[in-house]
Amino acid sequence: NKYFSGAAFILGMIILGISLYATVSNFKSYDRWVTVKGLCEKEVMADKVIWPIVYKQGGNELGKLYNTVQDMNNTIIEFLHDEGFTDDEITVNSPSILDTRTNLYNDRKDYNYIVTAGVTVCSEKVELVVKLKTEQAKLYEKGIPVGMEDNWAHPTIYSFTGLNEVKPVMIEEATVNARQAAEKFAKD
């Protein structure tokens, strides 16, 4: 029994040694593999813009307030037509009405109703929109208080729709960058 226990112990130690050697050899081989990713960045001009022109108006009579909002929307549309936008690029937003008498958190109740309304421009005339955003004072002169304090709720969105045209060139450039990085890494 003593010899059998000793032989089993020695055999176990040999198997453990072989396993450890194989594990260390396998672990060291991971140092020979590197994954590289290429990077390609390209700055492009947006080719589409969504510009919400939003304002708030307060009043105590909902009918009169609705007429005022309609007049303001028509003034904004006229302004946009004068600047070169077509009816296909202009959408009138449905107004949002807040009844201040039912709002528990409103201590100031100067008006019974506050309407958030406006017009949205969806166009490919990005440069014209950028120019007009700096000229909103023309609407202030007409009595329309555009550019509210909560612009985060109605941001201007610029987008680029031509990604599929530039993507193949960018992927090729990223692949070249990855290959250069891998060759440099291997050389070092």
Side-chain angles (χ1 to χ4, degrees):
N1 256 349
K2 285 185 191 178
Y3 297 113
F4 181 71
S5 297
F9 178 75
I10 291 173
L11 182 64
M13 292 302 284
I14 291 171
I15 292 172
L16 178 65
I18 292 170
S19 297
L20 281 173
Y21 176 76
T23 302
V24 169
S25 297
N26 192 22
F27 184 73
K28 287 178 101 181
S29 72
Y30 285 124
D31 292 341
R32 296 185 183 137
W33 294 93
V34 175
T35 302
V36 289
K37 295 181 181 181
L39 176 66
C40 177
E41 292 180 287
K42 185 172 189 153
E43 195 166 312
V44 295
M45 179 70 171
D47 59 3
K48 189 170 187 176
V49 63
I50 299 172
W51 178 31
I53 305 169
V54 182
Y55 60 90
K56 287 187 180 181
Q57 190 66 31
N60 292 322
E61 293 181 39
L62 201 52
K64 286 183 182 180
L65 188 56
Y66 178 77
N67 291 334
T68 302
V69 166
Q70 292 291 22
D71 292 342
M72 288 182 165
N73 285 344
N74 290 334
T75 303
I76 293 172
I77 292 170
E78 182 182 318
F79 167 74
L80 293 171
H81 282 157
D82 291 345
E83 295 296 334
F85 291 103
T86 64
D87 285 334
D88 292 339
E89 298 171 303
I90 301 170
T91 305
V92 176
N93 304 339
S94 58
S96 170
I97 301 170
L98 173 66
D99 186 348
T100 61
R101 297 170 297 176
T102 61
N103 187 350
L104 299 175
Y105 302 106
N106 186 11
D107 294 335
R108 288 187 51 210
K109 297 185 180 178
D110 300 338
Y111 299 112
N112 291 339
Y113 304 101
I114 297 175
V115 176
T116 303
V119 174
T120 299
V121 175
C122 183
S123 175
E124 294 177 355
K125 300 172 185 168
V126 176
E127 292 177 6
L128 180 58
V129 169
V130 171
K131 176 184 160 261
L132 290 180
K133 282 179 66 81
T134 62
E135 297 177 4
Q136 289 187 37
K138 292 178 182 177
L139 291 172
Y140 302 153
E141 291 169 356
K142 296 178 182 189
I144 303 173
V146 295
M148 305 179 329
E149 73 278 355
D150 60 348
N151 277 337
W152 58 269
H154 307 283
T156 301
I157 300 170
Y158 298 93
S159 60
F160 177 68
T161 59
L163 183 61
N164 287 335
E165 285 97 44
V166 297
K167 192 188 309 184
V169 174
M170 293 180 72
I171 290 173
E172 184 178 333
E173 188 176 329
T175 303
V176 168
N177 290 342
R179 185 178 313 275
Q180 289 173 351
E183 288 172 355
K184 172 98 171 89
F185 188 80
K187 186 187 231 182
D188 291 346

